[in-house]
Amino acid sequence: MVKVKNERRVEQHINVERCFLRFVKWVSCAVFLAFVVFNAFSNTIMMSNSQDNFIPQRFGDNFSLPHESKEKILSQPLQSLSLHHSNGSTASDSVHEIEENLQSESRQSFVKAYCDLGDEDWWPPINSWKRRTPAFLIIGAKKCGTTSLFSYMKQHPSIVKGRLKETLFFIPRRFPYWEKPKNWESKVLVEPSRSHMYSKDYPVDSMRNNHSRISFEATPDYILYSNHSTKAILCTIPWVKILCILRNPIDRLFSHYNFLKDENLVGQDYAKRQKKSFREWVQDDVNRLREAGVVLPLNASASMRKEFFGSQEEVAAWKRYLKTFWGEHPVARSLYAFQLEEWFSALRSIGRDPTKEVKIIREENLKRDPYKVTNEIFKWLNLPEHEIMSTKNSMVTKYSSKLDNTTRQALKNIFYPYNQRLYRLLGEEWQGIWD
């Protein structure tokens, strides 16, 4: 009897061992399978990272990134806003690649240097109302027809103007960086900057509810303060397109003088309303430009100009001039080349092509054929054609006298090297137009 009981105990013990071994076997298999799956997933992630790309399942899908990765990934591709195409396709249909610029070293450098993203996506999803608010800006230049251009643009049924023609939102003395306002070198706080802009200057509810509309504003000082406004604008609204209208720099300058004279504003001291002749007014600004180091002597050699133009020395001189001398900056506003170079450089630094994202028109062409020019702009904005109604410009300047030939020739000598520089920047169709 005792023997039988012992055999049963041995048998039970063996069964327990067998169950335990089976359990260990199953656990081992489960661990091994988990390891295989984890390893395969890790390899996939590593391969994805090695391509320096971040590709959502479909461009235009909403996606978010951890805060610490935003400066690395920068969320959205740099493509022009496309709302209406001639073939009926939408913006997201026309965009197929986002790889090349997402990890652009220059884009990362731009954001790190100038933008504080906080928890904000630098590039909202392409179907977001923010990407249409604003969709483009008229940046200048002053007394080149910006008021006429603004009035034509807002006639298109798909274009909505901002609260004012000139919101002045991004110019230095108005753009306080929100909470870090003390100097031009502060980083732009993107989220509060956008909040202030939308609360003040754009019909947000209308833009949210109507997906076919785009908005804009026109502040001519954005080109003058290019070394500041480029950073403020491209941190806050990096998707925006840039529209600019230019005029013969001498005619622009003379129009500027007569406009201020008509308003009794000529002179550096506005409180005393000093009366100055055109030559005196121009000479004052030339002296300020020379004092700041912006304008080289007329007898400067071609090699000296070539070395100076576009240099850090010129950039520093321009900043010094704008910071030191507040006022109308009459001659400086006609030095288009430097200001546009700043815009082109800033756009390239975030991976955008200025030849596609910037449209520059001539005031003379707009005056001659406003219907043709405006429809070229609508096409550039991917909008259907629209026949505008020509409007009388309330800002047309009254001239009390003509510009004498001696003064015109002196101004030609000042502007000649800057015009040549502009022609090289803008291409063949601009060659010699103001010589």
Side-chain angles (χ1 to χ4, degrees), residues 1-12:
M1 191 65 150
V2 173
K3 183 177 180 181
V4 172
K5 287 182 179 180
N6 288 338
E7 288 176 352
R8 286 178 179 175
R9 287 176 183 171
V10 170
E11 186 177 351
Q12 289 174 352

Side-chain angles (χ1 to χ4, degrees), residues 321-385:
Y321 164 77
L322 291 178
K323 285 185 177 182
T324 306
F325 306 106
W326 290 99
E328 288 295 322
H329 308 295
V331 177
R333 288 181 186 272
S334 287
L335 305 179
Y336 306 133
F338 172 81
Q339 299 163 67
L340 286 173
E341 284 170 359
E342 287 280 288
W343 269 102
F344 280 32
S345 176
L347 286 164
R348 288 193 184 100
S349 74
I350 65 167
R352 296 177 65 189
D353 182 356
T355 63
K356 297 178 181 178
E357 308 296 345
V358 180
K359 187 166 186 65
I360 302 171
I361 64 172
R362 291 170 53 195
E363 182 263 354
E364 299 90 341
N365 292 344
L366 183 66
K367 187 182 292 185
R368 186 185 313 114
D369 194 345
Y371 310 104
K372 178 183 177 182
V373 173
T374 51
N375 275 300
E376 287 174 354
I377 296 170
F378 296 148
K379 182 179 179 180
W380 172 70
L381 292 169
N382 298 301
L383 296 175
E385 289 188 0

Side-chain angles (χ1 to χ4, degrees), residues 6 31-32 42 86 103 108 123 149 161 164 176 232 264 266 268 334 372 382 387 411 413 422 434:
N6 288 338
V31 170
F32 177 77
S42 299
S86 57
Q103 291 296 94
Q108 293 181 57
W123 280 72
L149 183 57
K161 67 180 182 66
L164 299 170
N264 199 29
V266 174
Q268 189 175 358
S334 287
K372 178 183 177 182
N382 298 301
E387 186 173 348
L411 290 171
N413 294 335
L422 182 72
W434 297 320

Side-chain angles (χ1 to χ4, degrees), residues 35-309:
F35 175 78
V36 170
V37 171
F38 175 80
N39 191 51
F41 180 76
S42 299
N43 288 339
T44 302
I45 296 297
M46 291 175 63
M47 290 175 64
S48 175
N49 288 342
S50 69
Q51 296 172 358
D52 284 343
N53 294 318
F54 180 84
I55 309 176
Q57 292 180 350
R58 178 178 63 83
F59 182 77
D61 288 346
N62 293 325
F63 62 91
S64 60
L65 300 171
H67 174 68
E68 62 271 13
S69 67
K70 282 186 178 178
E71 287 193 357
K72 182 178 179 183
I73 303 298
L74 302 182
S75 89
Q76 284 283 346
L78 295 174
Q79 297 288 348
S80 59
L81 180 66
S82 302
L83 294 174
H84 304 277
H85 295 270
S86 57
N87 61 2
S89 62
T90 63
S92 57
D93 294 329
S94 68
V95 182
H96 301 290
E97 297 183 358
I98 67 172
E99 299 89 5
E100 293 184 359
N101 289 319
L102 280 174
Q103 291 296 94
S104 163
E105 187 174 329
S106 62
R107 286 185 68 191
Q108 293 181 57
S109 298
F110 181 91
V111 171
K112 288 178 180 178
Y114 306 116
C115 316
D116 186 340
L117 297 178
D119 293 325
E120 188 82 355
D121 285 324
W122 191 37
W123 280 72
I126 199 168
N127 54 358
S128 169
W129 63 270
K130 292 182 180 180
R131 291 281 284 268
R132 297 178 282 108
T133 315
F136 70 101
L137 299 175
I138 299 174
I139 63 169
K142 188 168 186 174
K143 303 310 298 176
C144 287
T146 57
T147 301
S148 293
L149 183 57
F150 177 83
S151 68
Y152 294 146
M153 291 294 99
K154 69 181 183 178
Q155 290 183 37
H156 195 288
S158 293
I159 296 180
V160 180
K161 67 180 182 66
R163 179 177 59 89
L164 299 170
K165 176 214 166 190
E166 301 180 25
T167 70
L168 307 174
F169 186 79
F170 293 105
I171 63 174
R173 62 184 180 273
R174 298 290 188 95
F175 188 78
Y177 295 90
W178 280 275
E179 322 306 340
K180 291 183 181 178
K182 303 307 179 186
N183 62 69
W184 289 10
E185 309 306 325
S186 300
K187 281 192 174 185
V188 175
L189 300 181
V190 174
E191 187 172 4
S193 296
R194 286 179 182 171
S195 296
H196 279 75
M197 179 184 69
Y198 292 136
S199 66
K200 289 178 55 180
D201 295 325
Y202 292 98
V204 171
D205 290 339
S206 174
M207 298 306 296
R208 277 196 177 113
N209 297 328
N210 194 324
H211 302 292
S212 65
R213 289 188 171 184
I214 63 175
S215 59
F216 81 113
E217 60 116 332
T219 299
D221 280 351
Y222 292 162
I223 187 173
L224 175 68
Y225 293 103
S226 55
N227 56 8
H228 164 272
S229 59
T230 49
K231 300 169 182 64
I233 288 169
L234 295 180
C235 279
T236 308
I237 45 174
W239 57 84
V240 77
K241 283 190 164 189
I242 302 301
L243 179 58
C244 184
I245 181 169
L246 302 180
R247 180 183 187 180
N248 182 306
I250 299 173
D251 295 338
R252 192 220 67 79
L253 182 59
F254 194 54
S255 175
H256 193 168
Y257 172 79
N258 281 278
F259 169 73
L260 295 177
K261 184 179 178 183
D262 188 47
E263 297 292 322
N264 199 29
L265 293 175
V266 174
Q268 189 175 358
D269 186 345
Y270 285 11
K272 295 180 181 178
R273 299 291 191 262
Q274 295 172 328
K275 300 292 186 181
K276 292 190 176 183
S277 69
F278 178 66
R279 290 181 69 95
E280 290 173 331
W281 187 64
V282 168
Q283 190 61 57
D284 281 350
D285 201 38
V286 170
N287 292 342
R288 290 191 290 268
L289 286 162
R290 284 180 176 156
E291 183 180 337
V294 175
V295 173
L296 296 176
L298 288 176
N299 60 356
S301 66
S303 60
M304 185 184 297
R305 293 186 187 280
K306 183 177 180 181
E307 184 178 348
F308 179 72
F309 286 166

Side-chain angles (χ1 to χ4, degrees), residues 18-30:
R18 286 174 178 171
C19 290
F20 178 77
L21 289 174
R22 288 193 189 103
F23 173 77
V24 170
K25 183 178 178 181
W26 280 108
V27 169
S28 300
C29 290

